[in-house]
Amino acid sequence: MEENDLSPIARLHKQPSVNLGEPLPKCIHSVSVSLPLWEHVVGYEEGDQKIISELKSGYPRFVFSQLVADLMALCLERFGRGELGHEACLLLPSEAAALDCCFFLKRYCDLRPADPALPDPRWAAESLRVHQVTEGGPEGALGVWAVLLPGPLRAAAKAYWQHGGRLVSSRRAAAALCELGREMAWENCDKCWQHAARSDGGDWAAPLRRLVDRVAALALPAGEQQAAAEVVRLYPSGMAAVYAALRLARALAALDAEEELGGGGEGDERRD
């Protein structure tokens, strides 16, 4: 029987297995990973470090890409206090996100029951530091910020990254590494937006503006598309968009409550 005559499932079974942890497809920007055996799937879901340590790729909210990990290591090298293993780093796409992460970590320390493994809330607050890693082009389109934090808060910081969705993509990390002068090996992939921007005359924000215009063309009435930049917001992940909507809803609810009490006033607008 010819292979083309096989069912899709049969053809799939004839494909050579990809080793555990290898990216699918084999690309530095891949967000899927090979878990070839059912026991690998179960082990991943149960947090088996033997499985997780093999992953070279994965969904960005759950697995730091190699480029993001490399950039975090570089930030620890440049901004850290030399306390190897006792300090961690989390990358965020804006200063607002970095400051929000610090607020989250402070609240985490305040609200957790006494735990000798966690730092004292006052000490944790003093230990959190925010650094701008790169400007990310003329309009800050690909800027990166780093939060340096005590090692015991690493899991809490990862929870913020995962559930807030305000992550740094592999391509944004690649652009930052390029901006910082780090040479990298690439496997059949575009290098980064910094290189791709050459086709736009070095304008890093041009691809983002085109995407905003495209979304506006699909979602807005014809007469409103000229104001696309005012009404279309791009976020680094779907979860980040959900989190932004939640914060907006809370802010509006607070304003409504203030008006009911006769307080009036204007709310502060924070942009990602």
Side-chain angles (χ1 to χ4, degrees):
M1 179 182 292
E2 296 292 334
E3 183 169 343
N4 290 338
D5 296 329
L6 297 174
S7 69
I9 296 297
R11 287 201 299 272
L12 181 63
H13 282 294
K14 286 179 66 67
Q15 296 295 320
S17 176
V18 178
N19 291 336
L20 169 65
E22 291 296 322
L24 297 172
K26 191 172 179 59
C27 171
I28 199 166
H29 297 302
S30 291
V31 296
S32 295
V33 68
S34 174
L35 296 171
L37 301 178
W38 181 248
E39 63 192 62
H40 296 151
V41 177
V42 173
Y44 171 78
E45 291 296 335
E46 293 180 347
D48 185 343
Q49 289 303 312
K50 292 181 180 179
I51 303 298
I52 293 175
S53 64
E54 293 291 331
L55 303 186
K56 299 177 182 177
S57 180
Y59 193 63
R61 286 199 300 114
F62 298 95
V63 179
F64 292 131
S65 78
Q66 187 58 54
L67 290 166
V68 170
D70 288 348
L71 184 56
M72 288 195 293
L74 179 59
C75 289
L76 282 172
E77 178 184 317
R78 293 196 174 191
F79 306 125
R81 293 173 173 167
E83 302 170 352
L84 190 62
H86 298 286
E87 198 169 28
C89 172
L90 188 71
L91 302 177
L92 285 307
S94 68
E95 183 180 23
L99 294 175
D100 190 55
C101 177
C102 289
F103 176 78
F104 170 83
L105 293 174
K106 291 173 185 176
R107 290 281 290 168
Y108 177 84
C109 290
D110 286 338
L111 298 176
R112 294 282 292 181
D115 185 343
L118 291 177
D120 177 88
R122 291 168 297 179
W123 180 79
E126 295 172 358
S127 300
L128 296 171
R129 308 189 310 284
V130 173
H131 295 273
Q132 184 174 13
V133 182
T134 60
E135 294 183 0
E139 298 181 30
L142 296 176
V144 175
W145 294 75
V147 175
L148 278 293
L149 53 124
L153 290 178
R154 184 181 285 106
K158 181 65 180 296
Y160 177 85
W161 167 287
Q162 179 177 335
H163 299 293
R166 303 164 92 176
L167 50 83
V168 170
S169 69
S170 61
R171 285 184 170 83
R172 187 184 287 247
L177 288 165
C178 287
E179 187 175 338
L180 295 172
R182 285 296 175 103
E183 292 296 329
M184 293 160 288
W186 303 87
E187 299 177 0
N188 302 319
C189 289
D190 57 293
K191 286 193 172 181
C192 65
W193 285 9
Q194 183 182 25
H195 292 73
R198 290 173 180 168
S199 61
D200 291 301
D203 185 353
W204 288 28
L208 298 179
R209 287 197 297 270
R210 286 199 296 272
L211 183 55
V212 166
D213 291 340
R214 178 61 174 161
V215 172
L218 293 171
L220 298 177
E224 299 179 14
Q225 293 178 14
Q226 295 298 322
E230 299 298 323
V231 296
V232 176
R233 292 288 182 269
L234 300 180
Y235 294 91
S237 70
M239 186 62 77
V242 171
Y243 184 42
L246 173 63
R247 298 199 316 276
L248 178 60
R250 285 174 172 171
L252 292 175
L255 286 175
D256 289 342
E258 188 175 330
E259 289 180 358
E260 288 180 4
L261 294 174
E266 297 181 356
D268 293 330
E269 180 182 359
R270 286 173 54 183
R271 298 182 62 181
D272 288 335

